[in-house]
């Protein structure tokens, strides 16, 4: 077993452990952190498979953006998942079996990348070194898969607009201010000047009845 295969087994073991802890951790924040660890280990496996662009994209997009936002939402809402976790161990055997089958299938597919290809299909190292994964992926996305990319971009744009519209809608339980009304406001609408006399006579002090008798 060479060093690359050994690293694959290490990353795969940590990935499986992190994925298992994601669904078994009682604390939601801990589960999210284990999910970050699982993403990092998956990126390391992709690097071993010479898919550097996918590995960097996974770290930047999911770990650097999506998971940070997810942690922010979880910590802000302070969700109580005790009621949701009821009956977890009842369905654990079926879920564990399905997870083991999926893990074995993925391991079989990934291990195919470490097997030596047939000599007829092998390329010289000089030609393989000149191939850029990012360049070839860009060519495929913007030539062969141009229309699916545009459709995905439109769907994401619609999702962004819908999220903004749902967030900016007027709610009855919150105070809402119209920015256009604030811009057009004048000083006379917010401030009223009242003229008073410069001096006023002090009212006469009224003595209590007990002091008058004394």
């Amino acid at each position: 077993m060479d060093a690359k295969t050994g690293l694959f087994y290490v990353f795969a073991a940590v990935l499986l452990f992190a994925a298992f802890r994601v669904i078994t951790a009682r604390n939601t924040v801990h589960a999210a952190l284990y999910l970050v660890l699982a993403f990092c280990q998956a990126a390391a496996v992709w690097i071993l498979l010479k898919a550097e662009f996918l590995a960097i994209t996974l770290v930047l997009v999911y770990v650097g953006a999506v998971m940070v936002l997810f942690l922010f939402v979880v910590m802000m809402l302070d969700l109580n998942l005790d009621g949701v976790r009821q009956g977890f161990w009842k369905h654990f055997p079926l879920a564990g079996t399905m997870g083991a089958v999926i893990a074995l299938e993925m391991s079989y597919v990934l291990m195919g990348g470490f097997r030596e290809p047939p000599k007829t299909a092998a390329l010289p190292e000089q030609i393989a070194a000149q191939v850029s994964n990012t360049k070839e992926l860009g060519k495929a996305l913007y030539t062969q898969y141009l229309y699916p990319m545009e459709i995905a971009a439109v769907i994401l744009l619609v999702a962004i607009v819908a999220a903004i519209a749902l967030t900016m809608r007027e709610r009855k339980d919150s105070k809402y201010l119209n920015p256009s009304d604030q811009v057009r406001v004048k000083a006379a609408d917010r401030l009223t000047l009242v003229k008073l006399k410069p001096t006023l006579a002090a009212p006469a002090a009224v003595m209590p009845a007990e002091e008058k008798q004394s």
Side-chain angles (χ1 to χ4, degrees), residues 63-85:
V63 178
V66 175
M67 292 310 303
V68 173
L69 179 62
F70 182 76
L71 281 172
F72 174 75
V73 173
V74 168
M75 297 177 70
M76 181 180 66
L77 297 179
D78 192 15
L79 299 176
N80 186 9
L81 300 179
D82 293 337
V84 180
R85 291 183 178 276

Side-chain angles (χ1 to χ4, degrees), residues 54-118:
L54 296 177
I56 295 174
T57 304
L58 178 63
V59 173
L60 293 180
V61 176
Y62 285 93
V63 178
V66 175
M67 292 310 303
V68 173
L69 179 62
F70 182 76
L71 281 172
F72 174 75
V73 173
V74 168
M75 297 177 70
M76 181 180 66
L77 297 179
D78 192 15
L79 299 176
N80 186 9
L81 300 179
D82 293 337
V84 180
R85 291 183 178 276
Q86 294 180 358
F88 171 78
W89 294 107
K90 178 181 179 181
H91 304 284
F92 179 76
L94 178 59
T97 304
M98 296 299 296
V101 172
I102 294 174
L104 291 176
E105 292 177 353
M106 293 181 63
S107 300
Y108 177 78
V109 173
L110 292 175
M111 286 301 297
F114 295 99
R115 301 190 185 96
E116 295 183 359

Side-chain angles (χ1 to χ4, degrees), residues 151-165:
I151 294 174
V154 171
I155 293 174
L156 290 176
L157 178 61
V158 172
I160 293 173
V161 173
I164 295 174

Side-chain angles (χ1 to χ4, degrees), residues 21-204:
R21 289 296 297 160
V22 168
I23 61 176
T24 57
R26 294 184 176 274
N27 194 335
T28 310
V29 178
H30 293 171
L33 294 176
Y34 278 116
L35 186 57
V36 171
L37 178 61
F39 284 151
C40 293
Q41 299 305 310
V45 172
W46 278 352
I47 290 177
L48 291 179
L49 296 176
K50 298 181 180 180
E52 298 86 2
F53 179 78
L54 296 177
I56 295 174
T57 304
L58 178 63
V59 173
L60 293 180
V61 176
Y62 285 93
V63 178
V66 175
M67 292 310 303
V68 173
L69 179 62
F70 182 76
L71 281 172
F72 174 75
V73 173
V74 168
M75 297 177 70
M76 181 180 66
L77 297 179
D78 192 15
L79 299 176
N80 186 9
L81 300 179
D82 293 337
V84 180
R85 291 183 178 276
Q86 294 180 358
F88 171 78
W89 294 107
K90 178 181 179 181
H91 304 284
F92 179 76
L94 178 59
T97 304
M98 296 299 296
V101 172
I102 294 174
L104 291 176
E105 292 177 353
M106 293 181 63
S107 300
Y108 177 78
V109 173
L110 292 175
M111 286 301 297
F114 295 99
R115 301 190 185 96
E116 295 183 359
K119 295 182 179 180
T120 56
L123 295 176
E125 296 181 357
Q126 294 81 5
I127 300 177
Q130 297 176 359
V131 177
S132 174
N133 292 329
T134 306
K135 184 178 180 180
E136 296 300 326
L137 183 60
K139 288 182 179 180
L141 288 178
Y142 293 101
T143 55
Q144 184 178 359
Y145 299 98
L146 179 60
Y147 291 110
M149 281 288 297
E150 292 181 352
I151 294 174
V154 171
I155 293 174
L156 290 176
L157 178 61
V158 172
I160 293 173
V161 173
I164 295 174
L166 292 175
T167 305
M168 297 299 294
R169 65 180 179 179
E170 185 177 357
R171 297 175 55 185
K172 297 180 180 179
D173 57 346
S174 63
K175 296 181 179 180
Y176 175 76
L177 296 177
N178 192 351
S180 61
D181 295 339
Q182 291 179 324
V183 172
R184 292 194 301 266
V185 72
K186 297 180 180 179
D189 300 334
R190 294 290 186 265
L191 180 63
T192 302
L193 298 178
V194 179
K195 293 183 179 181
L196 299 175
K197 296 180 179 180
T199 57
L200 294 175

